[in-house]
Amino acid sequence: MLTHCVSLAAMTTCRGLLLLLGFVGSMFLIILTSHQWDMSKEKRGKICLCVFVCFNFVLFLLCILVLEQKQFQVTTHILILLITAEKIHHLHELRKQLLREMCDGDKEAFSEGKRTVEDMSDKELENLIVDDKHGIIYCYIPKVACTNWKRVMFVLNQSEPYHDPMSIPGDLVHMHSKYTLLNSFPRIEMKVSLAKLKHYTKFLFVRDPFVRLISAYRDKFQRHNEYYYKNYARYILRQYGNQPDPPQTVDEAFASGVRPSFYNFIQYLLDPLTEKREPLEPHWRQMHRLCHPCHIQYDFVGHQETLQDDAEQLLKTLHLKDVINFPPSYENMTSPDSVLNWFRTVPLEDRRKLYKLYEGDFRLFGYRKPMELLAD
């Protein structure tokens, strides 16, 4: 998919595709500079002028650099970076356009009965962090780099010069008291909240829905976590894991090797009783139910799959690129390539039901339907 091809880190791999999809004039200039055609300076100047007239002033300046300084290889490299930056910008515009089209075309499917933001409860707006200092609103989604983005939001709320976000403990940034949340404004001040939603730069980051579920399972059920064991794992073991009396504590469970399987977790998600008991826990709740993109018009939609490039682009858009760095990604992030292995124990019919449960996230955020998991 094109949305996952454009990456500065993979610039060499995607170079041919980027050039093919780039401006025709830009391609011609690259060929010209790469092969150093034997033509007069006057003729080369005319060609460069044509490129300028057809496309933009930046390319013209690069032509002058070629003619006057003859730094062919350097100019070609810069030109490729410009084309890549243009593609990244176009990519983010496509993401926002897709959201608008999906929401306009089938708003009822994504609205959960809510017509406007005013119809939402405070609980439904609890994931929106407000930074009045910089005019930013961030809707965080668990298991989509939210710890590091919360670190950034925390640091931005401090005085300059800003600290390294990685110096902030992860436990600290998950405390709601450390931020201003949109739902902290009383209902009588809803106009204040609506004004912020209208004028502030709003962003969120999303992830392949199935990969996010795998990451949530690994984090909450394969690691030592007392809260999630007592509140979720024991129930799942009783209901789907053939464990009528699971160990009382996570220590006892780990010592005896008892824990919910990935398929047990999927059974829990698919059970209609789960949602009747209470809304899905945020770590596996549908992303559009956390951030309501059909009611809140986001200015930037980042993807976990292009996290570093998107983070750099966002900080540039916010004019913060030179004052703060986004933390580097973990190398052991769940890869889409491993999804098939995780789902081998999940029957085909349950895979299809799971896709229907998260279909809204796939469609709204431009993730392809995983036919390799859903076909006979």
Side-chain angles (χ1 to χ4, degrees):
M1 187 170 65
L2 179 58
T3 57
H4 295 153
C5 177
V6 180
S7 170
L8 290 177
M11 184 180 65
T12 302
T13 304
C14 293
R15 180 175 178 178
L17 180 57
L18 291 171
L19 292 178
L20 180 62
L21 298 177
F23 300 121
V24 174
S26 302
M27 294 171 60
F28 187 78
L29 182 58
I30 292 172
I31 295 173
L32 173 66
T33 56
S34 297
H35 293 278
Q36 306 183 36
W37 285 1
D38 184 18
M39 63 174 62
S40 67
K41 183 175 180 178
E42 179 181 355
K43 289 182 179 179
R44 279 183 284 168
K46 289 180 180 179
I47 292 177
C48 290
L49 183 59
C50 290
V51 173
F52 163 69
V53 172
C54 294
F55 299 103
N56 56 61
F57 180 66
V58 175
L59 295 180
F60 174 71
L61 292 179
L62 290 173
C63 287
I64 295 298
L65 181 62
V66 172
L67 292 173
E68 298 298 330
Q69 300 182 15
K70 297 183 180 180
Q71 296 183 2
F72 301 111
Q73 295 179 349
V74 173
T75 305
T76 300
H77 180 68
I78 294 174
L79 187 56
I80 291 172
L81 289 177
L82 279 174
I83 295 173
T84 304
E86 176 63 25
K87 289 298 179 183
I88 291 175
H89 173 75
H90 183 60
L91 169 63
H92 290 113
E93 291 302 312
L94 287 177
R95 290 174 181 171
K96 292 191 294 181
Q97 180 183 342
L98 175 63
L99 268 180
R100 291 192 296 267
E101 291 176 352
M102 289 289 105
C103 291
D104 292 342
D106 197 3
K107 195 164 189 174
E108 289 298 320
F110 309 117
S111 65
E112 292 191 282
K114 308 297 190 301
R115 294 185 299 275
T116 64
V117 176
E118 294 99 311
D119 296 326
M120 295 180 187
S121 66
D122 289 343
K123 185 71 174 177
E124 290 173 303
L125 297 175
E126 68 180 353
N127 284 51
L128 294 157
I129 298 175
V130 180
D131 177 2
D132 287 314
K133 180 180 177 181
H134 299 93
I136 302 170
I137 294 179
Y138 164 50
C139 185
Y140 68 89
I141 297 176
K143 306 314 301 173
V144 191
C146 78
T147 299
N148 282 342
W149 276 116
K150 284 182 176 181
R151 282 181 168 124
V152 171
M153 297 295 287
F154 180 89
V155 168
L156 289 177
N157 198 38
Q158 312 303 310
S159 58
E160 298 186 48
Y162 297 122
H163 296 292
D164 179 2
M166 284 303 293
S167 67
I168 310 301
D171 292 340
L172 178 66
V173 299
H174 290 302
M175 300 172 61
H176 282 183
S177 60
K178 299 299 180 181
Y179 308 96
T180 300
L181 301 177
L182 190 68
N183 68 355
S184 66
F185 298 95
R187 280 283 153 175
I188 58 175
E189 297 182 15
M190 177 56 73
K191 289 184 178 180
V192 175
S193 299
L194 293 177
K196 294 178 188 295
L197 282 172
K198 181 178 180 180
H199 298 292
Y200 284 12
T201 300
K202 301 166 289 297
F203 75 94
L204 77 163
F205 273 72
V206 296
R207 188 178 193 177
D208 180 289
F210 282 1
V211 176
R212 177 171 171 257
L213 288 181
I214 294 169
S215 180
Y217 170 77
R218 293 175 61 189
D219 186 34
K220 303 308 178 187
F221 300 118
Q222 287 192 330
R223 294 180 181 177
H224 192 285
N225 191 309
E226 188 71 31
Y227 173 82
Y228 280 90
Y229 179 77
K230 285 188 174 182
N231 289 277
Y232 297 98
R234 293 192 77 242
Y235 175 82
I236 292 174
L237 286 168
R238 284 196 301 268
Q239 294 295 114
Y240 318 103
N242 196 27
Q243 294 279 341
D245 187 24
Q248 292 294 319
T249 68
V250 69
D251 288 336
E252 294 171 354
F254 271 57
S256 58
V258 175
R259 65 190 68 183
S261 68
F262 182 65
Y263 179 43
N264 293 154
F265 176 54
I266 301 303
Q267 289 175 294
Y268 165 74
L269 295 176
L270 295 178
D271 191 336
L273 292 178
T274 298
E275 191 78 32
K276 288 181 180 180
R277 292 174 66 238
E278 61 180 357
L280 290 178
E281 204 277 340
H283 285 81
W284 43 85
R285 191 181 307 168
Q286 294 89 337
M287 294 181 287
H288 72 273
R289 293 176 61 190
L290 294 170
C291 292
H292 318 289
C294 288
H295 295 301
I296 299 173
Q297 186 172 340
Y298 287 93
D299 302 287
F300 191 94
V301 181
H303 281 211
Q304 176 89 1
E305 294 78 10
T306 51
L307 176 60
Q308 295 301 138
D309 295 336
D310 288 353
E312 181 177 351
Q313 180 69 21
L314 176 59
L315 292 176
K316 185 184 302 182
T317 301
L318 297 174
H319 305 291
L320 295 171
K321 186 175 181 296
D322 295 330
V323 297
I324 194 168
N325 293 318
F326 183 77
S329 302
Y330 294 111
E331 293 183 0
N332 63 345
M333 290 189 302
T334 305
S335 166
D337 297 334
S338 67
V339 172
L340 185 58
N341 288 329
W342 279 96
F343 277 88
R344 290 190 188 281
T345 60
V346 180
L348 177 60
E349 188 60 29
D350 285 340
R351 298 181 192 181
R352 291 172 174 172
K353 290 179 181 178
L354 190 69
Y355 176 77
K356 293 299 294 183
L357 187 62
Y358 290 89
E359 183 178 9
D361 284 346
F362 279 95
R363 292 173 57 198
L364 283 167
F365 302 118
Y367 288 98
R368 69 174 187 84
K369 187 175 182 179
M371 293 306 300
E372 65 277 9
L373 297 176
L374 308 176
D376 290 323

